[in-house]
């Protein structure tokens, strides 16, 4: 066979890379993401997920019998509508390569909010920090390579342990939105593209910072679950932990993997004179399409993980903070539902918690159970020995010298 003509090599300056270039397709032979089929399939899964989750949120607000718990649950459930609708919009505007960055900024900011609320929900399940410390303080930390506690051999659970879990979670709530804003700024100046690992691009540094922050936050959640897994058994924590971690952490690593695949040439790039689809946009498009489908299954799983049915039969004591309506406890009218929703989405508690945990004037860590917050009887579900704890454990002051 006669050899073909020699390939023409375009000279590149210092940006030469050993990574093979991705194959290129034109607008005349569009990829799957550019077809109406992709938009229809993703739209079906998105709107189905929205209906499932919005109904669940409505039912939680209708039977808002445990505000301290359900406030965090509703916030967690909102991740499905935000993730799904954001990804679908990004897919609809696929040929406008800059739009998805702005849409994803909203998603990035909210997922940090979810991480904080999931940890706070676990605190509420167990009666607050004071009840947790009463159960685990002074116990030795079991060495386990699976939970990453092999380096903590010989240490005991202390107030510093809980403070570390909160700080490691809250730092993600700060880093994630901050990096999202920086990404938008870099995008505006042409210094950010998904999958561009060039040292002159902001994607490389943003990915490194994200990985460190995400890993630290995930490690803190693992530590907290490892310490309280026996106390959390009545609340079926495994599915809850798995769903929150998979939606947030696995989606991030999934997006990074797709960006690497595009950089390695496994995902084709698009070139057209009619529109601009730059480097990293195709990988981000596949990421958004996959998320649209995944959110349907996430909505179904979250419906079982954070069911509203346990709150339907709950009765508040006669001196509780809220009245009782109807046969199933507090079946609130629409006006009350809207006010509960407004109160639920107020991030003031997270801001106050962050100021408290990172305050340089931190001298005494005040632990308060849910008994004090409601001004009356406990609004959280009680199980086993947690329900027999008296008001003498209502407030527990622990010295800041008790560090982890």
């Amino acid at each position: 066979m006669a050899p073909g003509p020699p390939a023409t090599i375009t000279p590149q300056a210092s940006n030469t890379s050993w990574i093979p270039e991705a194959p290129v397709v034109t607008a005349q032979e569009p990829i799957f993401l550019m077809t109406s089929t992709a938009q229809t399939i993703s739209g079906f899964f998105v709107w189905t997920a929205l209906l499932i989750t919005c109904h669940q949120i409505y039912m939680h607000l209708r039977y808002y019998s445990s505000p301290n718990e359900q406030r965090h649950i509703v916030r967690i459930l909102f991740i499905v509508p935000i993730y799904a609708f954001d990804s679908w919009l990004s897919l609809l505007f696929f040929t406008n390569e800059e739009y998805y960055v702005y849409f994803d900024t909203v998603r990035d900011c909210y997922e940090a909010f979810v991480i904080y609320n999931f940890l706070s929900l676990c605190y509420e399940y167990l009666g607050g920090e004071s009840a947790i410390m009463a159960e685990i303080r002074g116990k030795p930390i079991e060495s386990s390579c699976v939970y990453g506690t092999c380096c903590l051999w010989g240490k005991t659970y202390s107030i510093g342990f809980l403070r570390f879990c909160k700080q490691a979670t809250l730092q993600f709530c700060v880093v994630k939105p901050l990096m999202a804003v920086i990404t938008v700024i870099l995008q505006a100046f042409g210094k950010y593209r998904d999958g561009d690992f060039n040292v002159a691009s902001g994607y490389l540094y943003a990915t490194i910072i994200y990985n460190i922050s995400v890993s630290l936050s995930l490690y803190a959640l693992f530590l907290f679950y490892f310490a309280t897994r026996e106390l959390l058994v009545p609340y079926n924590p495994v599915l809850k932990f798995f769903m929150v971690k998979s939606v947030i952490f696995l989606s991030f690593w999934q997006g990074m993997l797709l960006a690497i695949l595009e950089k390695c040439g496994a995902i084709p790039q698009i070139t057209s004179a009619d529109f601009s689809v730059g480097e990293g946009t195709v990988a981000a498009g596949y990421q958004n399409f996959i998320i649209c489908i995944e959110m349907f299954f996430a909505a179904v799983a979250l419906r079982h993980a954070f069911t509203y049915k346990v709150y339907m039969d709950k009765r508040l004591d006669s001196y509780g903070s809220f009245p009782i309506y109807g046969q199933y406890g507090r079946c609130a009218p629409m006006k009350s539902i809207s006010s509960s929703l407004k109160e639920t989405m107020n991030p003031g508690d997270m801001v106050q918690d962050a100021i408290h945990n990172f305050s340089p004037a931190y001298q005494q860590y005040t632990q308060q159970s849910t008994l004090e917050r409601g001004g009356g009887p406990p609004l959280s579900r009680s199980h086993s020995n947690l329900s027999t704890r008296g008001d003498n454990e209502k407030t527990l002051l622990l010295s800041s010298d008790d560090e982890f």
Side-chain angles (χ1 to χ4, degrees):
M1 182 181 294
T8 303
I9 301 177
T10 304
Q12 295 182 355
S14 58
N15 199 28
T16 303
S17 174
W18 60 270
I19 301 177
E21 292 187 0
V24 177
V25 298
T26 62
Q28 286 70 32
E29 41 181 293
I31 63 174
F32 175 70
L33 296 176
M34 301 171 63
T35 63
S36 58
T37 303
Q39 297 175 356
T40 302
I41 294 175
S42 59
F44 170 78
F45 282 100
V46 165
W47 286 103
T48 305
L50 288 177
L51 289 175
I52 294 174
T53 306
C54 289
H55 174 263
Q56 186 180 7
I57 292 173
Y58 167 76
M59 295 303 290
H60 270 289
L61 295 175
R62 185 182 182 189
Y63 301 102
Y64 204 55
S65 56
S66 295
N68 288 335
E69 292 179 11
Q70 291 175 279
R71 176 174 66 247
H72 301 296
I73 292 176
V74 171
R75 291 172 177 177
I76 294 172
L77 293 177
F78 261 110
I79 197 173
V80 170
I82 291 176
Y83 257 60
F85 197 66
D86 173 275
S87 299
W88 193 54
L89 284 179
S90 299
L91 202 60
L92 294 180
F93 292 94
F94 173 72
T95 54
N96 298 279
E97 60 171 332
E98 294 183 356
Y99 283 20
Y100 80 91
V101 176
Y102 303 114
F103 291 141
D104 291 352
T105 300
V106 179
R107 187 176 71 191
D108 291 344
C109 293
Y110 193 78
E111 69 181 28
F113 189 47
V114 169
I115 289 295
Y116 165 80
N117 280 280
F118 179 68
L119 183 62
S120 298
L121 176 62
C122 293
Y123 275 47
E124 292 294 340
Y125 279 155
L126 301 180
E129 292 98 330
S130 63
I132 299 173
M133 286 310 303
E135 295 289 339
I136 70 173
R137 189 181 188 189
K139 293 182 179 180
I141 300 178
E142 181 183 349
S143 180
S144 171
C145 294
V146 176
Y147 289 93
T149 58
C150 52
C151 57
L152 302 177
W153 183 84
K155 292 183 176 291
T156 59
Y157 292 113
S158 64
I159 188 58
F161 170 81
L162 285 185
R163 190 186 182 197
F164 169 78
C165 293
K166 268 291 183 70
Q167 286 179 335
T169 304
L170 287 168
Q171 62 80 26
F172 184 65
C173 299
V174 176
V175 171
K176 192 70 172 177
L178 181 62
M179 292 305 300
V181 174
I182 293 176
T183 297
V184 172
I185 296 175
L186 293 175
Q187 171 79 12
F189 287 94
K191 296 294 184 180
Y192 182 92
R193 288 188 183 279
D194 275 344
D196 185 5
F197 291 94
N198 192 294
V199 293
S201 172
Y203 178 80
L204 174 63
Y205 307 104
T207 301
I208 293 174
I209 295 174
Y210 269 143
N211 268 298
I212 295 175
S213 181
V214 164
S215 300
L216 183 59
S217 180
L218 179 61
Y219 179 61
L221 287 178
F222 265 120
L223 285 180
F224 181 81
Y225 173 74
F226 184 72
T228 60
R229 62 189 185 280
E230 295 180 357
L231 302 175
L232 287 170
V233 167
Y235 306 98
N236 301 316
V238 176
L239 181 59
K240 295 180 174 66
F241 268 85
F242 175 77
M243 287 309 305
V244 172
K245 290 176 182 178
S246 61
V247 169
I248 294 178
F249 297 110
L250 294 185
S251 64
F252 168 73
W253 287 318
Q254 173 182 274
M256 192 171 65
L257 175 61
L258 289 171
I260 294 175
L261 290 176
E262 181 180 7
K263 191 68 176 180
C264 294
I267 298 178
Q269 296 179 358
I270 301 174
T271 177
S272 173
D274 300 329
F275 48 82
S276 174
V277 178
E279 183 180 9
T281 305
V282 180
Y286 278 108
Q287 163 80 335
N288 288 319
F289 177 78
I290 295 173
I291 288 179
C292 289
I293 299 176
E294 289 174 339
M295 285 302 103
F296 166 76
F297 297 100
V300 175
L302 288 172
R303 189 175 182 87
H304 293 282
F306 299 97
T307 178
Y308 62 87
K309 294 181 180 179
V310 296
Y311 300 100
M312 291 179 62
D313 298 325
K314 183 171 295 188
R315 302 278 185 176
L316 295 178
D317 293 334
S318 58
Y319 53 95
S321 303
F322 301 98
I324 295 178
Y325 301 91
Q327 181 181 1
Y328 297 104
R330 189 188 176 221
C331 180
M334 288 303 298
K335 183 177 180 180
S336 179
I337 291 176
S338 62
S339 62
S340 298
L341 179 62
K342 181 179 179 180
E343 183 268 338
T344 295
M345 301 311 295
N346 185 358
D349 55 333
M350 185 184 73
V351 175
Q352 293 178 0
D353 207 7
I355 294 174
H356 172 69
N357 279 276
F358 288 100
S359 174
Y362 189 90
Q363 294 179 350
Q364 228 177 13
Y365 200 97
T366 305
Q367 306 296 329
Q368 296 182 344
S369 69
T370 50
L371 293 176
E372 185 177 23
R373 298 180 188 178
L379 296 177
S380 301
R381 284 176 289 172
S382 299
H383 291 270
S384 66
N385 59 342
L386 292 179
S387 62
T388 62
R389 193 167 290 110
D391 290 346
N392 58 333
E393 293 181 0
K394 179 179 179 180
T395 302
L396 178 63
L397 300 181
L398 296 172
S399 173
S400 63
D401 295 333
D402 188 13
E403 291 298 335
F404 175 53

